[in-house]
Amino acid sequence: MNDYESRESGENCDDYDVIVIGGGPGGSTAAGLTAAEGHRVLLLDKETFPRYQIGESLLPATVHGICAMLGLREEIERAGFVRKRGGTFSWGTSPEPWTFAFAASERMAGPTSYAYQVERTRFDTMLLGNAERLGADVRQGHRVLGTVRVGGRVGGVRYTDDRGRERLATARFVVDASGHGSRVHHDVGGRREYSSFFRNLALFGYFLGGRRVPEPNAGNILCAAFSHGWFWYIPLSAALTSVGAVVKAEAAAKVQGDPEAAFAGLIGECPLIKDFLADARRATDPPYDRLRVRKDYSYDRTVLWCPGMVLVGDAACFIDPVFSSGVHLATYSALLAARSINSTLAGQVAEDRCFAEFEARYRREFALFRDFLVAFYRMHTDERSYFWQAHRLTRQHGTDQQAFVDLVGGVSSADFSRGLADDVLAEGAQLQLRGMLGEAAGAEPPMFPGGLVPSPDGRRWLVPDV
C-alpha cells in the first residue's frame, strides 16, 4: 500500500493541516501561530522536554515582538531570567572593553530596551507548552523518519511514536524546524552550503562563581577576541555562566584531541576570560557538567521551501553566533512561515506568492547578519568603525551607533524601500510594536516592491492596497 492509499484508508494514519518537526523555538513558534488560527497542528519532537540546547542569549525583537505575539511575554518576564541590556566586547584595537546598550536605539528605547539570557531547558519548555495551550497536538519522544509526497507535493511524514511503532501523518504543510541535524531538509530540493569564511568550531562548558561585568551591565553578554578566535561569556544566573570558545579551523585538531586540555589552554590564552574565571569552578550538575563541541555550524541553503514544505531556523541556515542571532532567526523565520501557511490555508493569497515573501524577508535578515559579521571579523579597528559598517549595510537613518544597536538587537533589516516612506520601520521594530500594541500598531508598507504586508494581528499576509 502506498502513502496516498494509507491516507485514504485511514490505516495507522492521522490527518492535519500542519505538521511541525521539532519543538525548539522555531517549531514552537510556527506551531503556536498556526494553531492559534484554528488549524489542526501536529508537533513532533524526538526528545522529551526539558532538554539541553545551546543558544542562550536572546534579542529584544524575540522577547517583545514574537513572544508577545504568542502571548508568552508576561510568563517570560516572571521567569526570573537574567536581564540583558546590551553587550560588552573586547574586540578590535580598543585597549579596554566597550559596551553598547539597546536603549541607544530609538526603536528599542523605553520599555523594550532589553532582552534576556536564558537557560534553554526552561525557555524552550515554556515555548513548547505555550504551543500546546494554543491548540497544537504536541507529541514528545516521536522521531520523524522522512516525508511523504501526495499529489506532487510534500503531504506528510512517517515517524515512530514513543512506543516505537511506525506511523504516518498527512497534512497540507510540513514545517521542518528540527535544527542543524535535520534528516529531511533535503526534501525541499537544493543543497546545504557551508560557509568557507566561517569555518569555525565551538567548544563550550559552564562555570559557577565567575565574575560579572560591572552594573548596570552585569547581565550583558561578554565577547572577547583572542589569537585563535573569540569567547562568549553569558551570565545565566547569579552563579552560573555559559562559556564558549569559537576557534578557527586550524585550531580544530587541538580541540578534538583533548577537549578538556584544549579548553583550559584556550582560556589561558584570553586574558579577559581568564581573569573573569579566576575564582570560578566548572559546573557539576547535569546538563551543565560536561564540555560540548559544535563544528561546521555556519551554512545556508539554495532552496528553503517547496510546495507543501518549508524550512525554518537551523534546518534552513545558521550563522556564527557572535551577535546571538540564532533564536532570533529561528523565531523570525517561523513567524514568516506561519504567516504564509495561514494565508494559504485561508485561501487569501496563493502559496507561491506567500512563500516568495517568506524567502525574500528571511534571506534579507540572514544576509544582514552574515555580511556584517564578515566585516566584523575582518576589521581590526575600533568600535566607531564597526558602528559605521553597520550603518553602511543597513542604510538607515540615525547615527552609526544606532544602526549598530538596531542590527544586533534584531530590529534592523534596513530602510527596505526608501521610495515608499522616509521613515520605514524595520520588520523587527514593527514586531515589537505589534507585540506590544496589537492591531493598534497600524499598517506597514511592503518591504519589497509588489510585496505583501502582515495582517493587523501579524499572523497572515495581505495584499496591500494600491
Side-chain angles (χ1 to χ4, degrees), residues 203-207 232 241-244 263 282 288 290-292:
L203 176 64
F204 49 98
Y206 295 83
F207 289 81
W232 75 67
T241 307
S242 171
V243 181
F263 198 43
R282 285 275 299 281
Y288 303 123
R290 64 186 181 91
L291 292 181
R292 292 177 168 88

Side-chain angles (χ1 to χ4, degrees), residues 216-238:
N217 300 313
N220 281 9
I221 183 173
L222 171 64
C223 295
F226 72 115
S227 59
H228 290 299
W230 63 276
F231 271 92
W232 75 67
Y233 189 94
I234 301 174
L236 296 179
S237 71

